[in-house]
Amino acid sequence: MDDDDDDVPQLSAHTLAALQEFYLEQQQREGTKTSQGFNQYSVGSIEENWQLSQFWYSDETASCLANEAIVAAGKGGRIACVSAPSVYQKLKERDDKDFSVVILEYDRRFSVYGEEFIFYDYNNPLNLPENPLPHSFDIVIADPPYLSEECLQKTAETIRYLTKGKILLCTGAVMEEQAAKLLGVKICKFIPKHSRNLANEFRCYTNYASGLD
């Protein structure tokens, strides 16, 4: 039987060109990942899920916050990242790992990080496994997913449970008064940036003398 090409759908030249452009961009992205030594700990290796109110920090901000956490934790220190995966990933990229770190996240995609991943739902702030123990982290970095008093209040319960004392909070500028009331933190001069611009002004807060001022 002869092939009949008349019944085969044909793409228009415009559609075909758009499709080729898409595949080319996809190949370029994959090539960039490979050339940069892209791995599971690179910021952006797990893409943002806006439905979960996820907005990753810029590479520079993630690096700055990771460096601050290492200094604040001290040699052999323990760091907890609560809803702050960008900082966790940047910490894991470090070669000089004289510290330990865990990530508390609602998004189970981060379970690829094995035993360092702890499932966390801010609606149940103290529903945590037996390990980690209370007050077992030298510093807690937290970025509550929503700009609401309820979210900050519940996340603050988790922070107070985990930390030995030091707190680095990242949230909107509008939460300054509430953050001071709940956690005794003060706004820092450093202004964090995200990989995508946010409509709300974002700031960092600490309850200790930090390198972010």
Side-chain angles (χ1 to χ4, degrees):
M1 184 181 291
D2 292 334
D3 292 332
D4 188 353
D5 292 336
D6 292 340
D7 294 332
V8 178
Q10 300 293 319
L11 295 175
S12 68
H14 177 75
T15 303
L16 186 60
L19 191 61
Q20 289 174 334
E21 183 178 359
F22 169 77
Y23 284 129
L24 179 60
E25 289 178 354
Q26 194 173 45
Q27 289 173 352
Q28 288 174 340
R29 283 197 299 271
E30 292 302 318
T32 300
K33 291 179 181 180
T34 302
S35 65
Q36 292 179 345
F38 202 79
N39 60 54
Q40 65 174 342
Y41 293 120
S42 297
V43 175
S45 59
I46 295 177
E47 295 187 359
E48 299 167 330
N49 182 343
W50 292 354
Q51 290 182 326
L52 295 178
S53 190
Q54 291 176 341
F55 303 95
W56 299 162
Y57 298 130
S58 69
D59 197 68
E60 294 78 8
T61 291
S63 293
C64 182
L65 296 178
N67 291 337
E68 173 59 32
I70 292 170
V71 172
K75 188 174 182 180
R78 300 191 71 208
I79 303 169
C81 296
V82 179
S83 306
S86 304
V87 180
Y88 169 83
Q89 290 170 324
K90 189 56 67 174
L91 285 165
K92 293 297 291 184
E93 282 187 342
R94 296 285 295 251
D95 294 327
D96 52 328
K97 293 189 179 68
D98 190 17
F99 59 87
S100 62
V101 58
V102 299
I103 175 174
L104 287 82
E105 252 294 336
Y106 181 80
D107 188 346
R108 292 189 185 274
R109 289 181 299 167
F110 291 96
S111 64
V112 296
Y113 299 137
E115 293 181 355
E116 291 180 349
F117 168 80
I118 298 172
F119 176 74
Y120 172 67
D121 182 351
Y122 81 87
N123 289 298
N124 299 293
L126 299 182
N127 185 17
L128 300 171
E130 292 181 4
N131 188 19
L133 297 172
H135 313 303
S136 58
F137 292 92
D138 296 283
I139 184 170
V140 175
I141 303 171
D143 185 345
Y146 301 102
L147 285 180
S148 71
E149 289 189 10
E150 180 202 20
C151 183
L152 180 57
Q153 185 174 7
K154 290 181 176 179
T155 303
E157 286 187 55
T158 309
I159 295 170
R160 291 193 298 265
Y161 175 84
L162 294 173
T163 188
K164 291 180 180 179
K166 292 181 180 178
I167 297 167
L168 200 173
L169 175 70
C170 299
T171 189
V174 295
M175 306 305 293
E176 180 177 5
E177 185 177 342
Q178 189 75 2
K181 177 182 176 181
L182 290 168
L183 295 167
V185 293
K186 294 182 179 180
I187 201 164
C188 302
K189 293 179 181 178
F190 175 74
I191 300 179
K193 304 291 185 182
H194 292 79
S195 57
R196 304 173 192 268
N197 291 327
L198 301 186
N200 297 299
E201 184 183 356
F202 210 76
R203 299 302 294 265
C204 290
Y205 306 81
T206 64
N207 66 341
Y208 63 95
S210 73
L212 300 176
D213 280 325

